[in-house]
């Protein structure tokens, strides 16, 4: 599956099917700091992601003062 | 995973609340959390006119959206900092939300462009003034938001600070023992003197992730890209540390921040000193004479047990 990441904008390819939480772990990303979006819907950590899915992993932490 | 309320498919799980929600129930949950904050910290009433400080990011746009959905009278002010593509894009997002959603609620957007008044963007100003960009930015934003609120007779100014922002700031203040800032960490700051607007943080019960999820679920188009000046900030580091703790033991962030607020809220009751408490609760162990709160101390109990236990 093709995964869209931000900060910086980039794409990675990961072999499916795989659970959301395992994809995050593989990319070394903390659940608490990210949302996983398939198409334009949110998915939970236990959801199976397939090769044909369009996935975005969106960071939710912002900086500033 | 299914929604704990209506049993349809969940879109988010919230370990700190031991809950999972579908879209509809999650939206209700977020609205309830905000309503609770508004009520318990006496932020404002339905009659009050609210000025929301918006940046185009998830927190401030979600805040504006929630207040309008809950039926509050909320206008917004956006400050264009003149940081190249980032400012252009965030300005577009704010304008888009104002035109497509807020206008239908009768709410208006005001804009202050730094470049128009100061003749340069925030980064150029910071260079000329020999000050860090973020502190220059902070001064300008605080001034503009307060001024708009006071001059246009808003009853209160609302910002999108969330649980993560407040917990990270508290961590920073505690690490450096900046006691004088601790006073200002509450979710409601009164209009202490004439010319100072009352300030509130209605999202203080919600985590950053919950607010981003709310924006996605409710199709709020916000700027995901960060202000380029935020890169490597201490706040981001504190948030990362707190999120690692949160992942290991859910609820850490809220216990840290809410616990602080509760302590702050309690009037100073004269506390019993450690020595006084020891004198009141400790007496000699029946068996060995060392101080204990029980009749027999835990060491003597342990040894007695060990002697009677049969070895395997
Ligand atoms: S990161 Fe700094 S410059 Fe950018 S908006 Fe926040 S305070 Fe302003
Ligand atoms: Zn539900
Ligand atoms: Zn002045």
């Amino acid at each position: 599956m093709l995964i869209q990441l931000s900060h910086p904008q980039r794409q990675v390819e990961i072999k499916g099917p795989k659970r959301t939480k395992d994809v995050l772990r593989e990319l070394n990303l903390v659940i608490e700091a990210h949302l996983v979006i398939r198409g334009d819907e949110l998915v939970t950590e236990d959801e199976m992601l397939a090769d044909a899915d369009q996935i975005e992993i969106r960071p939710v932490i912002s900086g500033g003062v | 995973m299914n929604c704990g309320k209506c049993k349809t498919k969940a879109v988010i799980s919230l370990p700190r609340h031991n809950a999972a929600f579908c879209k509809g129930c999650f939206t209700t949950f977020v609205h309830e959390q905000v309503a609770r904050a508004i009520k318990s910290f006496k932020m404002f009433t339905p009659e009050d006119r609210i000025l929301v400080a918006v940046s185009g990011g998830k927190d401030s746009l979600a805040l504006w959206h929630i207040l309008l959905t809950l039926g509050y009278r909320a206008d917004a002010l956006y400050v264009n900092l003149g940081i190249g593509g980032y400012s252009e894009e965030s300005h577009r997002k704010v304008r888009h939300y104002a035109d497509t959603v807020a206008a239908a609620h009768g709410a208006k957007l005001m804009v202050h462009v730094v470049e128009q008044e100061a003749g340069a963007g925030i980064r150029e100003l910071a260079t000329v003034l020999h000050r860090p960009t973020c502190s220059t930015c902070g001064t300008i934003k605080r001034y503009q938001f307060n001024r708009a609120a006071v001059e246009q007779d808003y009853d209160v100014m609302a910002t999108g600070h969330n649980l993560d922002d407040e917990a990270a700031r508290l961590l920073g203040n505690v690490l450096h023992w900046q006691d004088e800032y601790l006073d200002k960490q509450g979710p409601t700051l009164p209009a202490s003197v004439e010319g100072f607007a009352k300030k509130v943080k209605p999202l203080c019960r919600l985590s950053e992730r919950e607010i981003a999820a709310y924006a996605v679920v409710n199709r709020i188009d916000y700027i995901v890209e960060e202000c380029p000046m935020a890169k490597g900030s201490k706040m981001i580091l504190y948030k990362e540390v707190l999120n690692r703790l949160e992942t290991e033991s859910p609820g850490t962030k809220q216990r840290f921040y809410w616990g602080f607020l509760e302590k702050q809220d309690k009037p100073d009751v004269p506390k019993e000193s450690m020595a006084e408490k020891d004198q009141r609760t400790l007496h000699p162990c029946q068996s060995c004479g060392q101080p204990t709160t029980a009749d027999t101390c835990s060491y003597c109990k342990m040894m007695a047990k060990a002697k009677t236990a049969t070895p395997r």
Side-chain angles (χ1 to χ4, degrees), chain B residues 51-65 67-68 74-81 86 90-91 93-95 97-98 102 108-112 141 145 157-160 223:
Chain B
L51 180 67
V52 183
V54 291
S55 69
K58 61 184 189 318
D59 304 295
S60 55
L61 283 184
L63 172 61
W64 198 12
H65 190 77
L67 294 181
L68 292 176
D75 292 333
L77 172 64
Y78 170 78
V79 175
N80 186 317
L81 303 165
Y86 166 76
S90 58
H91 198 157
K93 302 274 185 193
V94 171
R95 165 81 33 231
Y97 180 82
K108 68 171 178 183
L109 170 70
M110 294 169 275
V111 173
H112 174 84
K141 283 197 291 198
F145 286 125
M157 180 192 136
T159 57
I223 183 164

Side-chain angles (χ1 to χ4, degrees), chain B residues 210-253:
Chain B
E210 288 155 10
I211 295 161
Y214 178 88
V216 171
V217 165
N218 290 279
R219 309 259 183 265
I220 299 170
D221 184 18
Y222 66 91
I223 183 164
V224 176
E225 189 197 330
E226 268 274 80
C227 171
M229 299 299 123
K231 213 174 190 165
S233 86
K234 273 281 183 325
M235 281 299 268
I236 290 185
L237 175 61
Y238 295 152
K239 284 180 177 182
E240 283 171 358
V241 170
L242 287 168
N243 276 339
R244 285 193 52 191
L245 294 170
E246 182 77 22
T247 305
E248 291 297 320
S249 44
T252 300
K253 284 186 286 199

Side-chain angles (χ1 to χ4, degrees), chain A residues 19-52:
Chain A
R19 276 191 206 288
T20 307
K21 60 163 172 273
D22 296 325
V23 171
L24 285 169
R25 193 173 305 137
E26 196 169 320
L27 294 168
N28 228 331
L29 301 173
V30 184
I31 291 182
E32 189 60 21
H34 297 88
L35 288 176
V36 181
I37 304 167
R38 175 169 56 201
D40 54 6
E41 303 286 354
L42 278 184
V43 293
T44 51
E45 299 80 80
D46 62 340
E47 193 74 14
M48 270 295 182
L49 303 177
D51 274 334

Side-chain angles (χ1 to χ4, degrees), chain B residues 1-227:
Chain B
M1 197 182 292
N2 285 335
C3 173
K5 281 199 168 162
C6 71
K7 311 298 172 205
T8 58
K9 198 173 171 56
V11 295
I12 188 165
S13 72
L14 307 178
R16 75 186 176 101
H17 288 291
N18 214 344
F21 293 117
C22 69
K23 280 197 220 176
C25 294
F26 178 63
T27 298
T28 306
F29 163 83
V30 168
H31 290 170
E32 282 167 1
Q33 292 297 317
V34 174
R36 227 169 122 178
I38 293 171
K39 191 162 167 239
S40 59
F41 296 107
K42 299 185 176 64
M43 293 184 174
F44 41 75
T45 66
E47 286 74 46
D48 285 332
R49 287 177 67 235
I50 306 160
L51 180 67
V52 183
V54 291
S55 69
K58 61 184 189 318
D59 304 295
S60 55
L61 283 184
L63 172 61
W64 198 12
H65 190 77
I66 295 165
L67 294 181
L68 292 176
T69 310
L70 292 177
Y72 286 103
R73 307 201 291 164
D75 292 333
L77 172 64
Y78 170 78
V79 175
N80 186 317
L81 303 165
I83 306 181
Y86 166 76
S87 289
E88 280 166 30
E89 179 73 2
S90 58
H91 198 157
R92 242 194 323 271
K93 302 274 185 193
V94 171
R95 165 81 33 231
H96 177 77
Y97 180 82
D99 292 345
T100 56
V101 186
H105 288 270
K108 68 171 178 183
L109 170 70
M110 294 169 275
V111 173
H112 174 84
V113 181
V114 171
E115 222 161 346
Q116 269 167 18
E117 183 178 314
I122 198 93
R123 284 176 300 190
E124 296 77 24
L125 280 178
T127 312
V128 184
L129 300 168
H130 302 288
R131 283 186 57 188
T133 311
C134 288
S135 88
T136 312
C137 176
T139 303
I140 290 182
K141 283 197 291 198
R142 265 193 305 280
Y143 182 92
Q144 290 300 335
F145 286 125
N146 187 69
R147 183 170 174 176
V150 171
E151 285 186 357
Q152 300 183 54
D153 277 328
Y154 284 94
D155 296 289
V156 56
M157 180 192 136
T159 57
H161 292 96
N162 55 47
L163 177 59
D164 293 65
D165 293 326
E166 296 309 293
R169 198 147 76 94
L170 178 58
L171 180 62
N173 286 338
V174 169
L175 287 175
H176 299 104
W177 288 118
Q178 287 177 305
D179 318 40
E180 68 278 26
Y181 288 115
L182 292 180
D183 264 358
K184 297 189 186 167
Q185 271 226 248
T188 295
L189 297 179
S192 48
V193 292
E194 187 71 20
F196 244 165
K198 175 179 177 180
K199 296 187 187 68
V200 295
K201 301 167 182 170
L203 301 183
C204 65
R205 296 182 59 88
L206 292 161
S207 78
E208 223 159 15
R209 185 168 186 266
E210 288 155 10
I211 295 161
Y214 178 88
V216 171
V217 165
N218 290 279
R219 309 259 183 265
I220 299 170
D221 184 18
Y222 66 91
I223 183 164
V224 176
E225 189 197 330
E226 268 274 80
C227 171

